[in-house]
Amino acid sequence: MKRHHLWKKSRGKRGAAAVLCLALCAAGLSACGSGTGSSGGNAPADEAGGGDGQPGGSLGTGDRESVVVVMGPTSEPEAGFDPAYGWGAGEHVHEPLIQSTLTVTTADLEIGYDLATDMQVSEDGLTWTVDIRDDVKFTDGEPLTAEDVAFTYNTLRDTSSVNDFTMLEEAVAVDGDTVEFHMSRPYSIWPYTMAIVGIVPEHAYGPDYGQNPIGSGRYMLKQWDREQQVIFEANPDYYGEAPKMKRVTVLFMEEDAAFAAVMAGQADVAYTAAAYSDQTVDGYELLAFETVDNRGFNLPAIPSETTDEDGVPLGNDFTSDVNVRRAINIGIDREEMIQNVLYGYGTAAYSVCTKMPWYNEASEVEYDPDETGRLLDEAGWIMGEDGFREKDGVRAGFPLMYSAGDSVRQALSEDTANQLRELGIDVTVEGVGWDVAYDRAQSTPMMWGWGAHTPMEFYNIYHTAPGGEYAQYSPYSNETVDAYMDAALASSDLEQSYELWKLAQWDGETGVIQQGDIPWIWLVNIDHLYWSRTDLQIAEQKLHPHGHGWSIVNNVDQWSWE
């Protein structure tokens, strides 16, 4: 974790007063009109940080067992707090807080135990046997048993709208504290799935469970005001170490309103963007957490003039040349991008799994515009008098799409385009909606956001789609790469499977990195930035996955006030 201590400066505060007042009103916060932010009517913003003689604690009130956290509106779970409909999983993976899980991911992203006490897998990889604790109760007083575990997984297999459970044939309770998972195919990374699936009570599960969840985790849902806030209270009967934070309030706000809440002293922790990083707020510091929340773009690896079974155009004549793809990969200055677009808050990415235990460091490359030029010359793309390259009368280039409304992806796309134009490649940027992006990405590069605590992210991007000819998100296929991934999933040893995932990236002869097929260009991992009160101690964070939201409170039970 990188900590940045920001000291009081007068710069920008008077000029921002009107914007602040409007944002506060839009957020439903007080403090407009007085000229001084208030902390819920209890303490001025300048005093809320807990300095000498000040009460400190949550909102500067002296409450040292509560915390108020601001997240973006998209972090609010639309379907409620039901694991079957995305709570704890989906695009923004996190620990479900309300429910317990069988396993957890550790700080180094390996596997530890929560409910589980032992775990075995058969040699053929088709049966996982998990023993669980016998001292756990749901918050309604009923014991949590293997029957609840089996019920949860079978329910998600049949109804999950977010995660893939096609590899699970059936979960069976062998006895009160032993469950078996019978798989339809080997799946060595099953422990990573077990780390995000919250266990629900069979006796209290129904259509309204998401609105009124009962779990056995560290917290209970106390109150949910849609589009505004969620309040959690510590579970007094939690089987683990008692949470230090007894009450956690999560507010859902747009970026500008979140910053206004910080300025008004009405938040203890609030997400923010790099564009706000040059601001200062009395009593707060800016925290930057490293992530595997990466951005990169696909390069269709086959020529055009083909379509899929639905008539969607496939391929791109320019990017189908491997030398062109290799030239682009080393022709982008990632460090320049981090400084100019991310204000220094990010790290270079060379893979969708940079920094993960299964990452192959052979993916890393040096910025080399001279070699880019040589590769393009070798591919027959010759620099013209207008500063762009041509081949057989065709100008080198392509449109680069990004998700309309995503300012970071737009800025990264524009920076990419500017850098590639300097190398003679004519790149134009285009904002598009997701309703057309998936189909168009089959023939046109698209700026994507990925990053998860599981090798399946790598699989889903590069592996040939079941029953298809190419990978799902961009046309590419390599039988050897597929075979390594299949072998990794079939392995009966999770640690050994990491080596197979690495070989899928590069085995010395083929793979998806610079020396190989390079069908995707990875650019940066975006730091997750938060304003935090200076007297709040946020526990050590593991690498955050894609999604600037719930990951920050994975260990909120361990936070404390000075």
Side-chain angles (χ1 to χ4, degrees):
M1 179 183 76
K2 295 182 286 188
R3 300 180 73 94
H4 301 270
H5 297 268
L6 305 181
W7 304 102
K8 181 177 180 180
K9 296 180 182 178
S10 60
R11 171 176 54 83
K13 285 193 175 181
R14 290 184 183 273
V19 175
L20 170 61
C21 186
L22 288 173
L24 286 171
C25 293
L29 300 174
S30 60
C32 288
S34 67
T36 303
S38 69
S39 182
N42 295 299
D46 286 350
E47 300 175 357
D52 291 345
Q54 302 304 327
S58 182
L59 304 187
T61 63
D63 182 352
R64 298 182 179 278
E65 294 187 335
S66 300
V67 67
V68 177
V69 181
V70 181
M71 300 180 190
T74 59
S75 293
E76 184 174 25
E78 292 185 12
F81 301 87
D82 187 340
Y85 298 99
W87 174 241
E91 183 179 9
H92 300 174
V93 177
H94 60 89
E95 296 175 19
L97 296 180
I98 297 170
Q99 297 92 0
S100 303
T101 55
L102 293 177
T103 63
V104 294
T105 50
T106 62
D108 56 4
L109 298 179
E110 296 188 352
I111 295 296
Y113 288 159
D114 183 4
L115 288 176
T117 59
D118 188 52
M119 178 172 57
Q120 303 290 332
V121 60
S122 61
E123 288 189 9
D124 62 7
L126 294 176
T127 303
W128 289 82
T129 303
V130 180
D131 293 330
I132 65 170
R133 302 175 62 126
D134 60 5
D135 60 345
V136 178
K137 292 184 178 181
F138 291 107
T139 52
D140 64 356
E142 292 295 318
L144 186 155
T145 69
E147 283 80 3
D148 297 299
V149 176
F151 170 80
T152 297
Y153 278 83
N154 289 331
T155 298
L156 267 64
R157 175 202 60 194
D158 297 338
T159 65
S160 178
S161 61
V162 176
N163 280 348
D164 176 21
F165 283 89
T166 57
M167 76 295 294
L168 177 63
E169 185 174 291
E170 185 180 19
V172 177
V174 177
D175 55 39
D177 57 10
T178 305
V179 63
E180 284 185 351
F181 298 102
H182 301 291
M183 316 301 284
S184 59
R185 61 180 185 272
Y187 197 68
S188 65
I189 57 177
W190 186 242
Y192 285 98
T193 298
M194 291 192 282
I196 60 172
V197 175
I199 304 305
V200 303
E202 182 175 11
H203 67 275
Y205 187 81
D208 65 343
Y209 177 83
Q211 286 68 48
N212 302 284
I214 292 174
S216 57
R218 292 160 281 173
Y219 289 93
M220 305 178 294
L221 178 64
K222 176 68 174 179
Q223 181 177 330
W224 181 18
D225 302 314
R226 284 185 178 273
E227 300 182 3
Q228 296 181 46
Q229 66 175 356
V230 173
I231 300 174
F232 300 98
E233 289 190 350
N235 177 1
D237 299 317
Y238 180 56
Y239 50 90
E241 184 178 347
K244 296 177 182 178
M245 289 296 175
K246 304 302 183 186
R247 184 181 179 93
V248 179
T249 300
V250 176
L251 307 177
F252 303 109
M253 295 181 179
E254 298 289 353
E255 211 167 74
D256 55 352
F259 185 64
V262 170
M263 293 283 287
Q266 296 192 351
D268 300 317
V269 178
Y271 83 110
T272 193
Y276 291 87
S277 62
D278 64 343
Q279 300 294 309
T280 61
V281 185
D282 297 326
Y284 289 83
E285 60 184 338
L286 184 67
L287 303 184
F289 299 105
E290 291 192 351
T291 77
V292 67
D293 190 357
N294 48 59
R295 299 294 181 271
F297 57 95
N298 63 301
L299 293 177
I302 64 170
S304 61
E305 301 182 357
T306 59
T307 62
D308 67 10
E309 63 274 13
D310 297 320
V312 174
L314 303 178
N316 183 295
D317 290 333
F318 180 59
T319 63
S320 65
D321 187 327
V322 69
N323 273 349
V324 167
R325 301 196 298 273
R326 290 171 179 169
I328 291 171
N329 192 42
I330 60 174
I332 295 176
D333 186 345
R334 291 165 173 81
E335 291 304 323
E336 179 273 342
M337 191 170 280
I338 290 168
Q339 295 304 318
N340 289 350
V341 177
L342 303 181
Y343 299 79
Y345 293 102
T347 56
Y350 304 98
S351 164
V352 73
C353 53
T354 302
K355 308 175 189 176
M356 307 301 282
W358 47 90
Y359 171 55
N360 189 332
E361 293 182 356
S363 303
E364 296 173 14
V365 296
E366 296 291 335
Y367 170 55
D368 192 344
D370 292 336
E371 178 64 7
T372 289
R374 190 195 69 77
L375 286 169
L376 291 171
D377 288 342
E378 182 179 307
W381 294 96
I382 308 304
M383 187 70 78
E385 294 181 358
D386 61 355
F388 292 106
R389 293 176 178 271
E390 290 188 1
K391 179 180 180 180
D392 299 329
V394 177
R395 177 178 285 195
F398 52 84
L400 178 56
M401 302 183 296
Y402 65 89
S403 173
D406 189 317
S407 60
V408 174
R409 295 189 201 191
Q410 179 179 358
L412 289 170
S413 298
E414 290 173 347
D415 194 288
T416 298
N418 290 337
Q419 291 199 43
L420 293 181
R421 288 189 197 112
E422 291 293 321
L423 300 171
I425 301 173
D426 187 13
V427 176
T428 57
V429 300
E430 178 186 357
V432 299
W434 287 111
D435 56 331
V436 299
Y438 290 102
D439 284 350
R440 288 192 58 192
Q442 298 297 321
S443 59
T444 304
M446 171 85 182
M447 187 68 68
W448 299 83
W450 300 94
H453 293 165
T454 167
M456 279 307 291
E457 192 91 324
F458 181 86
Y459 181 99
N460 290 334
I461 290 171
Y462 291 105
H463 197 284
T464 303
E469 188 176 356
Y470 302 111
Q472 180 177 359
Y473 297 102
S474 185
Y476 167 72
S477 184
N478 183 318
E479 291 182 357
T480 302
V481 171
D482 284 354
Y484 281 127
M485 289 190 275
D486 293 339
L489 289 178
S491 174
S492 59
D493 187 302
L494 179 62
E495 297 288 335
Q496 292 179 8
S497 76
Y498 294 162
E499 297 306 312
L500 291 165
W501 291 109
K502 292 178 181 179
L503 289 172
Q505 293 160 70
W506 180 245
D507 67 358
E509 294 184 1
T510 191
V512 300
I513 69 171
Q514 176 70 13
Q515 302 95 309
D517 300 326
I518 198 69
W520 287 73
I521 307 297
W522 302 104
L523 301 174
V524 296
N525 291 304
I526 298 174
D527 286 355
H528 287 174
L529 303 182
Y530 293 87
W531 294 104
S532 174
R533 290 189 186 274
T534 53
D535 57 340
L536 176 62
Q537 297 299 305
I538 294 179
E540 180 183 1
Q541 299 282 301
K542 54 191 170 187
L543 281 175
H544 286 197
H546 180 58
H548 195 167
W550 288 98
S551 291
I552 185 68
V553 295
N554 273 343
N555 57 11
V556 66
D557 56 304
Q558 300 170 33
W559 296 7
S560 61
W561 292 97
E562 289 182 351

